[in-house]
Amino acid sequence: GWEQKFKLPTYTPADAAQASRRLSEIVLTAITPVLPDLIGGSADLTGSNLTRVKGVTDFQPPSAGLGIYTGALRSLPQLHAGTYIRYGVREHGMDAIANGLAACGGVVPFIATFLNFVAYAAGAVRLSTLSGHQLIWVGE
């Protein structure tokens, strides 16, 4: 019954063309409120590949002064809030981290970059494939 929770649009060949990154943004916006275990981000292309959903908090330490920390959570110095990761310019590291998150379980990682940068992550992409991880790649 999870399909009924998502408000995904439907498209036909007669519809106007849209960039795949715009379509992935629409899907991420629809599924993020329903899938609290969805965590991920982009390799320094957040504004270009449209992976940061409105209303989510970046994953960062409390010392960054960002995120939502209330009550007892303020006393946990190693706690990170948020589900959006800004990986910086490191496609290989991004995919390696997503592989680790998928291997540990409990979350569904998604990562994004442009296709011409995937070569930097070739080894980690191969490991994702061979491991059969539940990992969502958003690319264009």
Side-chain angles (χ1 to χ4, degrees), residues 39-84:
I39 184 171
S42 176
D44 203 39
L45 294 163
T46 298
S48 298
N49 59 24
L50 308 174
T51 50
R52 190 172 190 282
V53 176
K54 290 177 184 138
V56 300
T57 303
D58 285 6
F59 181 85
Q60 70 272 313
S63 61
L66 304 169
I68 301 169
Y69 300 94
T70 59
L73 295 179
R74 291 180 191 264
S75 65
L76 301 173
Q78 300 302 313
L79 181 69
H80 289 64
T83 58
Y84 190 79

Side-chain angles (χ1 to χ4, degrees), residues 98 102 107-109 128 131-136:
V107 296
V108 178
S128 295
S131 300
H133 290 152
Q134 182 181 4
L135 173 61
I136 302 167

Side-chain angles (χ1 to χ4, degrees), residues 20-32 38-58 83-87 94 109-114 136-140:
S20 58
R21 59 187 153 184
R22 176 67 63 201
L23 296 172
S24 72
E25 178 187 39
I26 292 167
V27 170
L28 285 171
T29 300
I31 67 175
T32 297
L38 188 67
I39 184 171
S42 176
D44 203 39
L45 294 163
T46 298
S48 298
N49 59 24
L50 308 174
T51 50
R52 190 172 190 282
V53 176
K54 290 177 184 138
V56 300
T57 303
D58 285 6
T83 58
Y84 190 79
I85 303 170
R86 294 180 186 265
Y87 290 99
M94 173 182 68
F110 74 90
I111 52 178
T113 192
F114 287 109
I136 302 167
W137 259 95
V138 179
E140 181 159 318

